[in-house]
mmCIF file with all atom_site columns, all heavy atoms in Angstrom:
data_model
loop_
_atom_site.group_PDB
_atom_site.id
_atom_site.type_symbol
_atom_site.label_atom_id
_atom_site.label_alt_id
_atom_site.label_comp_id
_atom_site.label_asym_id
_atom_site.label_entity_id
_atom_site.label_seq_id
_atom_site.pdbx_PDB_ins_code
_atom_site.Cartn_x
_atom_site.Cartn_y
_atom_site.Cartn_z
_atom_site.occupancy
_atom_site.B_iso_or_equiv
_atom_site.pdbx_formal_charge
_atom_site.auth_seq_id
_atom_site.auth_comp_id
_atom_site.auth_asym_id
_atom_site.auth_atom_id
_atom_site.pdbx_PDB_model_num
ATOM 1   N N   . PRO A 1 1  ? 13.439  1.924  14.821  1.00 0.00 ? 23 PRO A N   1
ATOM 2   C CA  . PRO A 1 1  ? 12.892  2.579  13.690  1.00 0.00 ? 23 PRO A CA  1
ATOM 3   C C   . PRO A 1 1  ? 12.628  4.034  13.830  1.00 0.00 ? 23 PRO A C   1
ATOM 4   O O   . PRO A 1 1  ? 12.539  4.522  15.039  1.00 0.00 ? 23 PRO A O   1
ATOM 5   C CB  . PRO A 1 1  ? 11.507  1.809  13.505  1.00 0.00 ? 23 PRO A CB  1
ATOM 6   C CG  . PRO A 1 1  ? 11.153  1.306  14.846  1.00 0.00 ? 23 PRO A CG  1
ATOM 7   C CD  . PRO A 1 1  ? 12.529  1.000  15.518  1.00 0.00 ? 23 PRO A CD  1
ATOM 8   N N   . SER A 1 2  ? 12.539  4.719  12.687  1.00 0.00 ? 24 SER A N   1
ATOM 9   C CA  . SER A 1 2  ? 12.183  6.179  12.820  1.00 0.00 ? 24 SER A CA  1
ATOM 10  C C   . SER A 1 2  ? 10.792  6.369  13.221  1.00 0.00 ? 24 SER A C   1
ATOM 11  O O   . SER A 1 2  ? 9.925   5.582  13.067  1.00 0.00 ? 24 SER A O   1
ATOM 12  C CB  . SER A 1 2  ? 12.390  6.716  11.373  1.00 0.00 ? 24 SER A CB  1
ATOM 13  O OG  . SER A 1 2  ? 11.834  8.062  11.250  1.00 0.00 ? 24 SER A OG  1
ATOM 14  N N   . ALA A 1 3  ? 10.557  7.552  14.001  1.00 0.00 ? 25 ALA A N   1
ATOM 15  C CA  . ALA A 1 3  ? 9.184   7.858  14.307  1.00 0.00 ? 25 ALA A CA  1
ATOM 16  C C   . ALA A 1 3  ? 8.343   8.268  13.105  1.00 0.00 ? 25 ALA A C   1
ATOM 17  O O   . ALA A 1 3  ? 7.119   8.282  13.152  1.00 0.00 ? 25 ALA A O   1
ATOM 18  C CB  . ALA A 1 3  ? 9.204   8.929  15.392  1.00 0.00 ? 25 ALA A CB  1
ATOM 19  N N   . GLU A 1 4  ? 9.007   8.637  12.045  1.00 0.00 ? 26 GLU A N   1
ATOM 20  C CA  . GLU A 1 4  ? 8.366   9.073  10.844  1.00 0.00 ? 26 GLU A CA  1
ATOM 21  C C   . GLU A 1 4  ? 7.989   7.864  10.055  1.00 0.00 ? 26 GLU A C   1
ATOM 22  O O   . GLU A 1 4  ? 8.777   6.875  9.874   1.00 0.00 ? 26 GLU A O   1
ATOM 23  C CB  . GLU A 1 4  ? 9.170   10.041 10.027  1.00 0.00 ? 26 GLU A CB  1
ATOM 24  C CG  . GLU A 1 4  ? 9.482   11.385 10.704  1.00 0.00 ? 26 GLU A CG  1
ATOM 25  C CD  . GLU A 1 4  ? 10.212  12.238 9.783   1.00 0.00 ? 26 GLU A CD  1
ATOM 26  O OE1 . GLU A 1 4  ? 9.768   12.623 8.706   1.00 0.00 ? 26 GLU A OE1 1
ATOM 27  O OE2 . GLU A 1 4  ? 11.442  12.634 10.184  1.00 0.00 ? 26 GLU A OE2 1
ATOM 28  N N   . LYS A 1 5  ? 6.780   7.954  9.335   1.00 0.00 ? 27 LYS A N   1
ATOM 29  C CA  . LYS A 1 5  ? 6.400   6.815  8.504   1.00 0.00 ? 27 LYS A CA  1
ATOM 30  C C   . LYS A 1 5  ? 5.790   7.533  7.187   1.00 0.00 ? 27 LYS A C   1
ATOM 31  O O   . LYS A 1 5  ? 4.554   7.580  7.080   1.00 0.00 ? 27 LYS A O   1
ATOM 32  C CB  . LYS A 1 5  ? 5.339   5.963  9.097   1.00 0.00 ? 27 LYS A CB  1
ATOM 33  C CG  . LYS A 1 5  ? 5.945   5.185  10.338  1.00 0.00 ? 27 LYS A CG  1
ATOM 34  C CD  . LYS A 1 5  ? 4.957   4.155  10.799  1.00 0.00 ? 27 LYS A CD  1
ATOM 35  C CE  . LYS A 1 5  ? 3.846   4.773  11.688  1.00 0.00 ? 27 LYS A CE  1
ATOM 36  N NZ  . LYS A 1 5  ? 2.894   3.719  12.252  1.00 0.00 ? 27 LYS A NZ  1
ATOM 37  N N   . PRO A 1 6  ? 6.637   7.976  6.279   1.00 0.00 ? 28 PRO A N   1
ATOM 38  C CA  . PRO A 1 6  ? 6.073   8.598  5.080   1.00 0.00 ? 28 PRO A CA  1
ATOM 39  C C   . PRO A 1 6  ? 5.100   7.787  4.301   1.00 0.00 ? 28 PRO A C   1
ATOM 40  O O   . PRO A 1 6  ? 5.382   6.526  4.009   1.00 0.00 ? 28 PRO A O   1
ATOM 41  C CB  . PRO A 1 6  ? 7.404   8.869  4.157   1.00 0.00 ? 28 PRO A CB  1
ATOM 42  C CG  . PRO A 1 6  ? 8.511   8.893  5.133   1.00 0.00 ? 28 PRO A CG  1
ATOM 43  C CD  . PRO A 1 6  ? 8.113   7.951  6.256   1.00 0.00 ? 28 PRO A CD  1
ATOM 44  N N   . GLY A 1 7  ? 3.976   8.304  3.958   1.00 0.00 ? 29 GLY A N   1
ATOM 45  C CA  . GLY A 1 7  ? 2.991   7.526  3.115   1.00 0.00 ? 29 GLY A CA  1
ATOM 46  C C   . GLY A 1 7  ? 2.234   6.588  4.037   1.00 0.00 ? 29 GLY A C   1
ATOM 47  O O   . GLY A 1 7  ? 1.539   5.678  3.412   1.00 0.00 ? 29 GLY A O   1
ATOM 48  N N   . ASP A 1 8  ? 2.322   6.670  5.255   1.00 0.00 ? 30 ASP A N   1
ATOM 49  C CA  . ASP A 1 8  ? 1.688   5.641  6.199   1.00 0.00 ? 30 ASP A CA  1
ATOM 50  C C   . ASP A 1 8  ? 0.197   5.592  5.894   1.00 0.00 ? 30 ASP A C   1
ATOM 51  O O   . ASP A 1 8  ? -0.481  6.582  5.791   1.00 0.00 ? 30 ASP A O   1
ATOM 52  C CB  . ASP A 1 8  ? 1.984   5.929  7.656   1.00 0.00 ? 30 ASP A CB  1
ATOM 53  C CG  . ASP A 1 8  ? 1.325   4.923  8.666   1.00 0.00 ? 30 ASP A CG  1
ATOM 54  O OD1 . ASP A 1 8  ? 1.371   3.744  8.311   1.00 0.00 ? 30 ASP A OD1 1
ATOM 55  O OD2 . ASP A 1 8  ? 0.723   5.410  9.583   1.00 0.00 ? 30 ASP A OD2 1
ATOM 56  N N   . VAL A 1 9  ? -0.308  4.320  5.869   1.00 0.00 ? 31 VAL A N   1
ATOM 57  C CA  . VAL A 1 9  ? -1.765  4.035  5.660   1.00 0.00 ? 31 VAL A CA  1
ATOM 58  C C   . VAL A 1 9  ? -2.274  3.488  6.983   1.00 0.00 ? 31 VAL A C   1
ATOM 59  O O   . VAL A 1 9  ? -1.721  2.611  7.573   1.00 0.00 ? 31 VAL A O   1
ATOM 60  C CB  . VAL A 1 9  ? -1.991  2.954  4.575   1.00 0.00 ? 31 VAL A CB  1
ATOM 61  C CG1 . VAL A 1 9  ? -3.476  2.610  4.418   1.00 0.00 ? 31 VAL A CG1 1
ATOM 62  C CG2 . VAL A 1 9  ? -1.533  3.473  3.203   1.00 0.00 ? 31 VAL A CG2 1
ATOM 63  N N   . LYS A 1 10 ? -3.371  4.042  7.427   1.00 0.00 ? 32 LYS A N   1
ATOM 64  C CA  . LYS A 1 10 ? -3.978  3.587  8.639   1.00 0.00 ? 32 LYS A CA  1
ATOM 65  C C   . LYS A 1 10 ? -4.748  2.339  8.371   1.00 0.00 ? 32 LYS A C   1
ATOM 66  O O   . LYS A 1 10 ? -5.759  2.441  7.674   1.00 0.00 ? 32 LYS A O   1
ATOM 67  C CB  . LYS A 1 10 ? -4.914  4.724  9.254   1.00 0.00 ? 32 LYS A CB  1
ATOM 68  C CG  . LYS A 1 10 ? -4.127  5.977  9.531   1.00 0.00 ? 32 LYS A CG  1
ATOM 69  C CD  . LYS A 1 10 ? -3.073  5.814  10.593  1.00 0.00 ? 32 LYS A CD  1
ATOM 70  C CE  . LYS A 1 10 ? -2.333  7.088  10.877  1.00 0.00 ? 32 LYS A CE  1
ATOM 71  N NZ  . LYS A 1 10 ? -1.146  6.871  11.763  1.00 0.00 ? 32 LYS A NZ  1
ATOM 72  N N   . TRP A 1 11 ? -4.388  1.216  8.856   1.00 0.00 ? 33 TRP A N   1
ATOM 73  C CA  . TRP A 1 11 ? -4.947  -0.070 8.569   1.00 0.00 ? 33 TRP A CA  1
ATOM 74  C C   . TRP A 1 11 ? -6.437  -0.134 8.882   1.00 0.00 ? 33 TRP A C   1
ATOM 75  O O   . TRP A 1 11 ? -7.266  -0.567 8.099   1.00 0.00 ? 33 TRP A O   1
ATOM 76  C CB  . TRP A 1 11 ? -4.208  -1.184 9.182   1.00 0.00 ? 33 TRP A CB  1
ATOM 77  C CG  . TRP A 1 11 ? -3.197  -1.770 8.394   1.00 0.00 ? 33 TRP A CG  1
ATOM 78  C CD1 . TRP A 1 11 ? -1.949  -1.382 8.093   1.00 0.00 ? 33 TRP A CD1 1
ATOM 79  C CD2 . TRP A 1 11 ? -3.338  -2.941 7.466   1.00 0.00 ? 33 TRP A CD2 1
ATOM 80  N NE1 . TRP A 1 11 ? -1.315  -2.111 7.164   1.00 0.00 ? 33 TRP A NE1 1
ATOM 81  C CE2 . TRP A 1 11 ? -2.124  -3.098 6.802   1.00 0.00 ? 33 TRP A CE2 1
ATOM 82  C CE3 . TRP A 1 11 ? -4.372  -3.807 7.312   1.00 0.00 ? 33 TRP A CE3 1
ATOM 83  C CZ2 . TRP A 1 11 ? -1.978  -4.116 5.859   1.00 0.00 ? 33 TRP A CZ2 1
ATOM 84  C CZ3 . TRP A 1 11 ? -4.224  -4.903 6.400   1.00 0.00 ? 33 TRP A CZ3 1
ATOM 85  C CH2 . TRP A 1 11 ? -2.926  -5.029 5.743   1.00 0.00 ? 33 TRP A CH2 1
ATOM 86  N N   . ASP A 1 12 ? -6.785  0.292  10.095  1.00 0.00 ? 34 ASP A N   1
ATOM 87  C CA  . ASP A 1 12 ? -8.234  0.253  10.554  1.00 0.00 ? 34 ASP A CA  1
ATOM 88  C C   . ASP A 1 12 ? -9.086  1.006  9.554   1.00 0.00 ? 34 ASP A C   1
ATOM 89  O O   . ASP A 1 12 ? -10.166 0.515  9.212   1.00 0.00 ? 34 ASP A O   1
ATOM 90  C CB  . ASP A 1 12 ? -8.371  0.656  11.964  1.00 0.00 ? 34 ASP A CB  1
ATOM 91  C CG  . ASP A 1 12 ? -7.673  -0.341 12.855  1.00 0.00 ? 34 ASP A CG  1
ATOM 92  O OD1 . ASP A 1 12 ? -7.390  -1.451 12.524  1.00 0.00 ? 34 ASP A OD1 1
ATOM 93  O OD2 . ASP A 1 12 ? -7.352  0.075  14.082  1.00 0.00 ? 34 ASP A OD2 1
ATOM 94  N N   . ALA A 1 13 ? -8.684  2.195  9.263   1.00 0.00 ? 35 ALA A N   1
ATOM 95  C CA  . ALA A 1 13 ? -9.457  3.085  8.424   1.00 0.00 ? 35 ALA A CA  1
ATOM 96  C C   . ALA A 1 13 ? -9.521  2.511  7.071   1.00 0.00 ? 35 ALA A C   1
ATOM 97  O O   . ALA A 1 13 ? -10.705 2.408  6.381   1.00 0.00 ? 35 ALA A O   1
ATOM 98  C CB  . ALA A 1 13 ? -8.775  4.371  8.409   1.00 0.00 ? 35 ALA A CB  1
ATOM 99  N N   . LEU A 1 14 ? -8.459  1.848  6.505   1.00 0.00 ? 36 LEU A N   1
ATOM 100 C CA  . LEU A 1 14 ? -8.528  1.269  5.147   1.00 0.00 ? 36 LEU A CA  1
ATOM 101 C C   . LEU A 1 14 ? -9.453  -0.010 5.146   1.00 0.00 ? 36 LEU A C   1
ATOM 102 O O   . LEU A 1 14 ? -10.219 -0.103 4.227   1.00 0.00 ? 36 LEU A O   1
ATOM 103 C CB  . LEU A 1 14 ? -7.103  0.884  4.737   1.00 0.00 ? 36 LEU A CB  1
ATOM 104 C CG  . LEU A 1 14 ? -6.982  0.312  3.389   1.00 0.00 ? 36 LEU A CG  1
ATOM 105 C CD1 . LEU A 1 14 ? -7.292  1.302  2.299   1.00 0.00 ? 36 LEU A CD1 1
ATOM 106 C CD2 . LEU A 1 14 ? -5.576  -0.302 3.163   1.00 0.00 ? 36 LEU A CD2 1
ATOM 107 N N   . ALA A 1 15 ? -9.343  -0.742 6.169   1.00 0.00 ? 37 ALA A N   1
ATOM 108 C CA  . ALA A 1 15 ? -10.173 -2.050 6.207   1.00 0.00 ? 37 ALA A CA  1
ATOM 109 C C   . ALA A 1 15 ? -11.653 -1.700 6.266   1.00 0.00 ? 37 ALA A C   1
ATOM 110 O O   . ALA A 1 15 ? -12.564 -2.476 5.723   1.00 0.00 ? 37 ALA A O   1
ATOM 111 C CB  . ALA A 1 15 ? -9.705  -2.879 7.262   1.00 0.00 ? 37 ALA A CB  1
ATOM 112 N N   . GLN A 1 16 ? -12.002 -0.679 7.032   1.00 0.00 ? 38 GLN A N   1
ATOM 113 C CA  . GLN A 1 16 ? -13.411 -0.462 7.275   1.00 0.00 ? 38 GLN A CA  1
ATOM 114 C C   . GLN A 1 16 ? -14.062 0.671  6.449   1.00 0.00 ? 38 GLN A C   1
ATOM 115 O O   . GLN A 1 16 ? -15.253 0.786  6.397   1.00 0.00 ? 38 GLN A O   1
ATOM 116 C CB  . GLN A 1 16 ? -13.561 0.038  8.757   1.00 0.00 ? 38 GLN A CB  1
ATOM 117 C CG  . GLN A 1 16 ? -13.104 -0.898 9.716   1.00 0.00 ? 38 GLN A CG  1
ATOM 118 C CD  . GLN A 1 16 ? -13.071 -0.429 11.170  1.00 0.00 ? 38 GLN A CD  1
ATOM 119 O OE1 . GLN A 1 16 ? -13.529 0.652  11.478  1.00 0.00 ? 38 GLN A OE1 1
ATOM 120 N NE2 . GLN A 1 16 ? -12.448 -1.254 12.126  1.00 0.00 ? 38 GLN A NE2 1
ATOM 121 N N   . ALA A 1 17 ? -13.331 1.274  5.615   1.00 0.00 ? 39 ALA A N   1
ATOM 122 C CA  . ALA A 1 17 ? -13.804 2.261  4.733   1.00 0.00 ? 39 ALA A CA  1
ATOM 123 C C   . ALA A 1 17 ? -14.737 1.772  3.679   1.00 0.00 ? 39 ALA A C   1
ATOM 124 O O   . ALA A 1 17 ? -14.580 0.680  3.175   1.00 0.00 ? 39 ALA A O   1
ATOM 125 C CB  . ALA A 1 17 ? -12.603 3.017  3.988   1.00 0.00 ? 39 ALA A CB  1
ATOM 126 N N   . PRO A 1 18 ? -15.923 2.465  3.430   1.00 0.00 ? 40 PRO A N   1
ATOM 127 C CA  . PRO A 1 18 ? -16.739 2.098  2.423   1.00 0.00 ? 40 PRO A CA  1
ATOM 128 C C   . PRO A 1 18 ? -16.098 2.182  1.001   1.00 0.00 ? 40 PRO A C   1
ATOM 129 O O   . PRO A 1 18 ? -15.144 2.899  0.799   1.00 0.00 ? 40 PRO A O   1
ATOM 130 C CB  . PRO A 1 18 ? -17.924 3.054  2.471   1.00 0.00 ? 40 PRO A CB  1
ATOM 131 C CG  . PRO A 1 18 ? -17.251 4.295  3.081   1.00 0.00 ? 40 PRO A CG  1
ATOM 132 C CD  . PRO A 1 18 ? -16.261 3.828  4.028   1.00 0.00 ? 40 PRO A CD  1
ATOM 133 N N   . VAL A 1 19 ? -16.530 1.373  0.123   1.00 0.00 ? 41 VAL A N   1
ATOM 134 C CA  . VAL A 1 19 ? -15.950 1.341  -1.274  1.00 0.00 ? 41 VAL A CA  1
ATOM 135 C C   . VAL A 1 19 ? -16.416 2.569  -1.971  1.00 0.00 ? 41 VAL A C   1
ATOM 136 O O   . VAL A 1 19 ? -17.681 2.798  -2.186  1.00 0.00 ? 41 VAL A O   1
ATOM 137 C CB  . VAL A 1 19 ? -16.386 0.057  -2.003  1.00 0.00 ? 41 VAL A CB  1
ATOM 138 C CG1 . VAL A 1 19 ? -15.741 0.089  -3.353  1.00 0.00 ? 41 VAL A CG1 1
ATOM 139 C CG2 . VAL A 1 19 ? -15.978 -1.168 -1.231  1.00 0.00 ? 41 VAL A CG2 1
ATOM 140 N N   . PRO A 1 20 ? -15.589 3.390  -2.464  1.00 0.00 ? 42 PRO A N   1
ATOM 141 C CA  . PRO A 1 20 ? -15.970 4.658  -3.154  1.00 0.00 ? 42 PRO A CA  1
ATOM 142 C C   . PRO A 1 20 ? -16.574 4.274  -4.518  1.00 0.00 ? 42 PRO A C   1
ATOM 143 O O   . PRO A 1 20 ? -16.216 3.274  -5.139  1.00 0.00 ? 42 PRO A O   1
ATOM 144 C CB  . PRO A 1 20 ? -14.645 5.423  -3.321  1.00 0.00 ? 42 PRO A CB  1
ATOM 145 C CG  . PRO A 1 20 ? -13.582 4.403  -3.145  1.00 0.00 ? 42 PRO A CG  1
ATOM 146 C CD  . PRO A 1 20 ? -14.099 3.415  -2.281  1.00 0.00 ? 42 PRO A CD  1
ATOM 147 N N   . GLN A 1 21 ? -17.407 5.139  -4.977  1.00 0.00 ? 43 GLN A N   1
ATOM 148 C CA  . GLN A 1 21 ? -18.084 4.826  -6.283  1.00 0.00 ? 43 GLN A CA  1
ATOM 149 C C   . GLN A 1 21 ? -17.338 5.615  -7.368  1.00 0.00 ? 43 GLN A C   1
ATOM 150 O O   . GLN A 1 21 ? -16.784 6.615  -7.181  1.00 0.00 ? 43 GLN A O   1
ATOM 151 C CB  . GLN A 1 21 ? -19.583 5.226  -6.212  1.00 0.00 ? 43 GLN A CB  1
ATOM 152 C CG  . GLN A 1 21 ? -20.372 4.510  -5.180  1.00 0.00 ? 43 GLN A CG  1
ATOM 153 C CD  . GLN A 1 21 ? -20.311 2.971  -5.364  1.00 0.00 ? 43 GLN A CD  1
ATOM 154 O OE1 . GLN A 1 21 ? -20.635 2.575  -6.581  1.00 0.00 ? 43 GLN A OE1 1
ATOM 155 N NE2 . GLN A 1 21 ? -20.059 2.202  -4.409  1.00 0.00 ? 43 GLN A NE2 1
ATOM 156 N N   . GLY A 1 22 ? -17.584 5.132  -8.699  1.00 0.00 ? 44 GLY A N   1
ATOM 157 C CA  . GLY A 1 22 ? -17.065 5.944  -9.799  1.00 0.00 ? 44 GLY A CA  1
ATOM 158 C C   . GLY A 1 22 ? -15.826 5.310  -10.366 1.00 0.00 ? 44 GLY A C   1
ATOM 159 O O   . GLY A 1 22 ? -15.202 4.397  -9.751  1.00 0.00 ? 44 GLY A O   1
ATOM 160 N N   . ALA A 1 23 ? -15.406 5.836  -11.492 1.00 0.00 ? 45 ALA A N   1
ATOM 161 C CA  . ALA A 1 23 ? -14.258 5.198  -12.224 1.00 0.00 ? 45 ALA A CA  1
ATOM 162 C C   . ALA A 1 23 ? -12.902 5.430  -11.548 1.00 0.00 ? 45 ALA A C   1
ATOM 163 O O   . ALA A 1 23 ? -11.968 4.700  -11.852 1.00 0.00 ? 45 ALA A O   1
ATOM 164 C CB  . ALA A 1 23 ? -14.167 5.754  -13.629 1.00 0.00 ? 45 ALA A CB  1
ATOM 165 N N   . GLY A 1 24 ? -12.819 6.315  -10.632 1.00 0.00 ? 46 GLY A N   1
ATOM 166 C CA  . GLY A 1 24 ? -11.563 6.574  -9.907  1.00 0.00 ? 46 GLY A CA  1
ATOM 167 C C   . GLY A 1 24 ? -11.251 5.651  -8.819  1.00 0.00 ? 46 GLY A C   1
ATOM 168 O O   . GLY A 1 24 ? -10.189 5.792  -8.149  1.00 0.00 ? 46 GLY A O   1
ATOM 169 N N   . SER A 1 25 ? -12.132 4.686  -8.542  1.00 0.00 ? 47 SER A N   1
ATOM 170 C CA  . SER A 1 25 ? -11.854 3.815  -7.420  1.00 0.00 ? 47 SER A CA  1
ATOM 171 C C   . SER A 1 25 ? -11.945 2.365  -7.848  1.00 0.00 ? 47 SER A C   1
ATOM 172 O O   . SER A 1 25 ? -12.505 2.031  -8.957  1.00 0.00 ? 47 SER A O   1
ATOM 173 C CB  . SER A 1 25 ? -12.934 4.030  -6.333  1.00 0.00 ? 47 SER A CB  1
ATOM 174 O OG  . SER A 1 25 ? -14.263 3.732  -6.834  1.00 0.00 ? 47 SER A OG  1
ATOM 175 N N   . SER A 1 26 ? -11.284 1.513  -7.068  1.00 0.00 ? 48 SER A N   1
ATOM 176 C CA  . SER A 1 26 ? -11.291 0.099  -7.435  1.00 0.00 ? 48 SER A CA  1
ATOM 177 C C   . SER A 1 26 ? -12.684 -0.541 -7.179  1.00 0.00 ? 48 SER A C   1
ATOM 178 O O   . SER A 1 26 ? -13.413 0.007  -6.384  1.00 0.00 ? 48 SER A O   1
ATOM 179 C CB  . SER A 1 26 ? -10.269 -0.718 -6.660  1.00 0.00 ? 48 SER A CB  1
ATOM 180 O OG  . SER A 1 26 ? -10.542 -0.520 -5.334  1.00 0.00 ? 48 SER A OG  1
ATOM 181 N N   . ALA A 1 27 ? -12.951 -1.573 -7.903  1.00 0.00 ? 49 ALA A N   1
ATOM 182 C CA  . ALA A 1 27 ? -14.274 -2.213 -7.878  1.00 0.00 ? 49 ALA A CA  1
ATOM 183 C C   . ALA A 1 27 ? -14.301 -3.380 -6.954  1.00 0.00 ? 49 ALA A C   1
ATOM 184 O O   . ALA A 1 27 ? -13.375 -4.154 -6.970  1.00 0.00 ? 49 ALA A O   1
ATOM 185 C CB  . ALA A 1 27 ? -14.742 -2.499 -9.243  1.00 0.00 ? 49 ALA A CB  1
ATOM 186 N N   . LEU A 1 28 ? -15.394 -3.597 -6.162  1.00 0.00 ? 50 LEU A N   1
ATOM 187 C CA  . LEU A 1 28 ? -15.520 -4.856 -5.470  1.00 0.00 ? 50 LEU A CA  1
ATOM 188 C C   . LEU A 1 28 ? -15.751 -5.971 -6.446  1.00 0.00 ? 50 LEU A C   1
ATOM 189 O O   . LEU A 1 28 ? -16.437 -5.849 -7.434  1.00 0.00 ? 50 LEU A O   1
ATOM 190 C CB  . LEU A 1 28 ? -16.772 -4.774 -4.503  1.00 0.00 ? 50 LEU A CB  1
ATOM 191 C CG  . LEU A 1 28 ? -16.503 -4.040 -3.192  1.00 0.00 ? 50 LEU A CG  1
ATOM 192 C CD1 . LEU A 1 28 ? -17.811 -3.933 -2.390  1.00 0.00 ? 50 LEU A CD1 1
ATOM 193 C CD2 . LEU A 1 28 ? -15.471 -4.868 -2.378  1.00 0.00 ? 50 LEU A CD2 1
ATOM 194 N N   . LEU A 1 29 ? -15.272 -7.214 -5.967  1.00 0.00 ? 51 LEU A N   1
ATOM 195 C CA  . LEU A 1 29 ? -15.458 -8.331 -6.908  1.00 0.00 ? 51 LEU A CA  1
ATOM 196 C C   . LEU A 1 29 ? -16.176 -9.425 -6.260  1.00 0.00 ? 51 LEU A C   1
ATOM 197 O O   . LEU A 1 29 ? -16.176 -9.586 -4.988  1.00 0.00 ? 51 LEU A O   1
ATOM 198 C CB  . LEU A 1 29 ? -13.941 -8.826 -7.250  1.00 0.00 ? 51 LEU A CB  1
ATOM 199 C CG  . LEU A 1 29 ? -13.039 -7.881 -8.015  1.00 0.00 ? 51 LEU A CG  1
ATOM 200 C CD1 . LEU A 1 29 ? -11.742 -8.571 -8.119  1.00 0.00 ? 51 LEU A CD1 1
ATOM 201 C CD2 . LEU A 1 29 ? -13.700 -7.524 -9.346  1.00 0.00 ? 51 LEU A CD2 1
#
């Protein structure tokens, strides 16, 4: 595979990130 990963999302950061507030973010269910 290429060493580049365009648009790569860091899984650990995504999983542990707090839920942002406001209309621009998804809502917890």
Side-chain angles (χ1 to χ4, degrees):
S24 168
E26 295 184 60
K27 294 188 286 185
D30 180 43
V31 175
K32 302 299 182 185
W33 264 82
D34 291 342
L36 181 66
Q38 298 172 12
V41 182
Q43 300 298 312
S47 62
S48 61
L50 275 177
L51 299 177

